[in-house]
Amino acid sequence: MGSDVFADSGPRHMMARIVGAGSSPVTMIRINWDSDEHRRCVAACIVNGTYIMDGDESRLHSSGKALAPAWWESFGFRRLRTLEYECECVFCKTKTKLFTVGAHRPCSIYGVILEHAPPAGARRHPSAPRYVVAFRGTMPRHPSYLGDMHLNLRILVNRQHACGRFRHARDQVGRLLDSISSNGGGTAAVWLAGHSLGASIALDVGRDMVARKGWNNLPAFLFNPPQVSLAPSMLPQALRRVAKRVTYPASYAVKAALGATVLKPHERDMEALFEALAPWAPELYVHERDIVCQGFIDYFEQRHKTLNRLRPVAEVAMKLSLRDMLIRIHSTDPENGEDQRARPHLLPSARLWKNSSYHDPHGLEQWRPDSELRLSSRRYSDHGAEAEVFYG
């Protein structure tokens, strides 16, 4: 990642320098809201702005200039609300319990709600969002790092839905959508966006809005969303291909057998959720060398292969997770039942954008042009997949 200054590190292919009479050059942004490339670049820039917001506080204290606003104001957005939540790591919780008098857990900025505000006399483009809700990811060397890592561990064991930051995000977006709906607006007027941990929050929010309220027209731009495929990802590349040919067919066979017998009630619950979520297709931006989101690539590609070869087995197994099935068997936690509506593995439809560039595999630089990122995309649904499209 380069400079936090938008003019230095932003999407240069969308910038145009205009020289007025007797004035210095002014950088203008040209946006085609119907372009997948431009929509991705706008969403990525806004998410990057959420990372910079915390640093702006120290810059302002030292008489500096806030850098974050340029990452969204350049596209005609203004900040409507900052999303903050207290740290949930063990250290902060323990400190609060030990020092109860005047003690409080530190809050950190984890996201922002922006409103599109076109220039005076201009109208909002029909394809432009009215609001964007963006979430940052993990911030190393930052006071919130322990809290971020606590949430990352919860994601790894599939228990993030009950975390406070996730609940707060769902509540804030739910209120925003309720207000839009009550005024006769459509949910497509709101975009969700996030990177890494923030992509997991956006995915959880979107899935919850679809499953509980039926708002399936909710565009989501998820950059490097975490879904670790542990067994194949821990192996060298040569062995990984062999492991996939053995591991995934065996896993599908086991899940289909359990889902059709001893865990039939669980399979029925997942089938109902699968059908409810099927119309929603978020945009997933993943890198082929990023171990953090490798699980999404494997899930969709292996699911498609199994649907072509053994459709009856795939139609049962693709709704299930061995990890969740084991939890279902051994857990007596009442929270577990409620949490079923938002299982992270359960994503019937998506458009998967694979990045094969030489940039940092898990870095946020997706405001670069298609040709530089060497993108390919494929839309997956519960019925199959469309042909892969290559860009650049």
Side-chain angles (χ1 to χ4, degrees), residues 53-358:
M53 288 173 69
D54 263 325
D56 276 351
E57 292 187 5
S58 58
R59 274 186 285 268
L60 291 173
H61 288 156
S62 59
S63 301
K65 180 182 178 182
L67 300 179
W71 290 86
W72 54 73
E73 290 177 355
S74 301
F75 306 106
F77 291 91
R78 64 185 176 197
R79 181 161 51 180
L80 185 66
R81 190 177 312 139
T82 300
L83 301 179
E84 298 179 87
Y85 198 77
E86 61 187 15
C87 181
E88 298 178 274
C89 73
V90 175
F91 175 77
C92 289
K93 284 184 176 180
T94 303
K95 183 173 67 174
T96 304
K97 290 179 180 178
L98 291 176
F99 304 99
T100 55
V101 180
H104 64 278
R105 282 184 267 166
C107 289
S108 65
I109 297 172
Y110 73 91
V112 65
I113 299 178
L114 304 175
E115 182 179 20
H116 194 225
R123 298 182 63 182
R124 182 171 63 89
H125 189 280
S127 299
R130 184 178 171 190
Y131 300 96
V132 176
V133 187
F135 307 99
R136 67 162 178 82
T138 304
M139 296 183 67
R141 301 179 299 277
H142 188 271
S144 68
Y145 179 67
L146 288 178
D148 293 345
M149 289 306 299
H150 167 79
L151 293 178
N152 287 329
L153 293 175
R154 298 275 290 190
I155 291 171
L156 190 62
V157 296
N158 196 8
R159 304 294 289 174
Q160 72 272 28
H161 188 72
C163 292
R165 193 185 299 183
F166 283 75
R167 289 198 310 268
H168 185 258
R170 292 195 302 270
D171 177 67
Q172 293 297 311
V173 174
R175 291 183 181 184
L176 177 63
L177 291 173
D178 282 336
S179 67
I180 295 173
S181 179
S182 64
N183 292 324
T187 56
V190 179
W191 285 7
L192 301 176
H195 173 246
S196 192
L197 169 60
S200 187
I201 296 175
L203 180 57
D204 180 80
V205 169
R207 188 186 287 107
D208 188 73
M209 297 299 110
V210 175
R212 287 199 303 116
K213 301 189 177 184
W215 289 333
N216 50 49
N217 191 15
L218 192 62
F221 301 82
L222 312 178
F223 302 102
N224 303 87
Q227 181 72 312
V228 180
S229 182
L230 289 176
S233 296
M234 299 303 290
L235 298 173
Q237 183 66 36
L239 294 177
R240 195 179 303 170
R241 289 192 293 269
V242 177
K244 287 181 181 180
R245 287 199 296 268
V246 175
T247 303
Y248 285 99
S251 170
Y252 267 62
V254 171
K255 288 189 289 187
L258 291 175
T261 54
V262 294
L263 288 177
K264 186 65 177 176
H266 177 69
E267 192 273 337
R268 283 197 296 265
D269 291 342
M270 294 297 98
E271 182 177 14
L273 179 53
F274 210 78
E275 292 176 357
L277 294 175
W280 185 56
E283 311 281 343
L284 270 61
Y285 298 91
V286 297
H287 197 291
E288 293 179 328
R289 294 184 289 110
D290 184 8
I291 189 175
V292 174
C293 55
Q294 184 67 41
F296 277 116
I297 299 176
D298 292 344
Y299 170 70
F300 283 109
E301 291 184 349
Q302 297 301 320
R303 189 182 85 176
H304 178 58
K305 290 179 181 178
T306 309
L307 277 169
N308 288 337
R309 297 171 183 171
L310 297 168
R311 180 166 285 272
V313 171
E315 287 179 341
V316 175
M318 67 184 181
K319 311 179 191 108
L320 305 171
S321 161
L322 287 175
R323 175 185 53 189
D324 295 337
M325 294 167 83
L326 290 173
I327 292 174
R328 176 72 174 246
I329 293 172
H330 296 289
S331 176
T332 58
D333 185 355
E335 175 195 285
N336 195 50
E338 185 272 339
D339 205 27
Q340 292 296 322
R341 72 178 183 219
R343 286 302 182 193
H345 74 278
L346 193 58
L347 199 55
S349 308
R351 182 154 59 157
L352 193 70
W353 297 81
K354 286 198 296 185
N355 178 344
S356 57
S357 71
Y358 297 105

